Amino acid sequence: KAFNFYVHAPSRTDPSCCPAGSDAITVLVPVPPLRDSSDRISQYDEKEVIRIRAAVLSRMQAVCDQVGQKVTLKDHIVCESHRTPSDWQRDFNLFRGSAFGLTHNLQV
């Protein structure tokens, strides 16, 4: 199922964000909050993170190919990390792991 995501590359407007010839890229993937406060792992396990990461890289690669960029994105990733709603809930005590509040209508 297709989904939207947000890509931010601050080094495009501020080259001091990373070493010369490199990019710093952040990808935000909106996801539903945890089903309830006890659902800390099952909804966003490592398998789901890997699936979402692969889908994001595939779409970003398709755009690169479409515009004629001769690059394999996954071969150029130096450092990456991810946060799931479970992380937001655990680390910041956010209700149901929702970083932006519960106002969105994404369904579980």
Side-chain angles (χ1 to χ4, degrees), residues 17-56:
C17 288
C18 58
S22 298
D23 256 321
I25 298 174
T26 299
V27 177
L28 298 176
V29 179
V31 296
L34 298 171
R35 292 181 189 101
D36 60 50
S37 60
S38 65
D39 183 19
R40 294 179 182 271
I41 298 172
S42 61
Q43 195 173 344
Y44 299 104
D45 59 8
E46 195 64 27
K47 184 177 176 182
E48 184 69 358
V49 169
I50 290 168
R51 185 189 71 76
I52 292 170
R53 178 188 184 274
V56 167

Side-chain angles (χ1 to χ4, degrees), residues 1 3 9 14 25 34 57 62 69-70 86 92 95-96:
K1 183 177 173 181
F3 58 91
D14 179 2
I25 298 174
L34 298 171
L57 276 175
Q69 292 292 318
K70 304 291 184 196
S86 298
F92 303 105
F95 181 66
R96 292 176 53 195

Side-chain angles (χ1 to χ4, degrees), residues 6-108:
Y6 170 79
V7 178
H8 178 58
S11 55
R12 298 302 171 113
T13 57
D14 179 2
S16 70
C17 288
C18 58
S22 298
D23 256 321
I25 298 174
T26 299
V27 177
L28 298 176
V29 179
V31 296
L34 298 171
R35 292 181 189 101
D36 60 50
S37 60
S38 65
D39 183 19
R40 294 179 182 271
I41 298 172
S42 61
Q43 195 173 344
Y44 299 104
D45 59 8
E46 195 64 27
K47 184 177 176 182
E48 184 69 358
V49 169
I50 290 168
R51 185 189 71 76
I52 292 170
R53 178 188 184 274
V56 167
L57 276 175
S58 175
R59 286 193 42 208
M60 289 178 72
Q61 185 64 58
V63 170
C64 287
D65 295 345
Q66 225 173 20
V67 298
Q69 292 292 318
K70 304 291 184 196
V71 63
T72 303
L73 286 178
K74 66 181 182 174
D75 293 343
H76 294 277
I77 296 172
V78 175
C79 178
E80 69 179 288
S81 64
H82 66 269
R83 285 192 176 273
T84 68
S86 298
D87 298 319
W88 289 107
Q89 183 178 42
R90 181 193 66 238
D91 297 344
F92 303 105
N93 199 30
L94 295 174
F95 181 66
R96 292 176 53 195
S98 183
F100 302 109
L102 296 177
T103 59
H104 61 70
N105 62 357
L106 295 173
Q107 300 298 313
V108 176

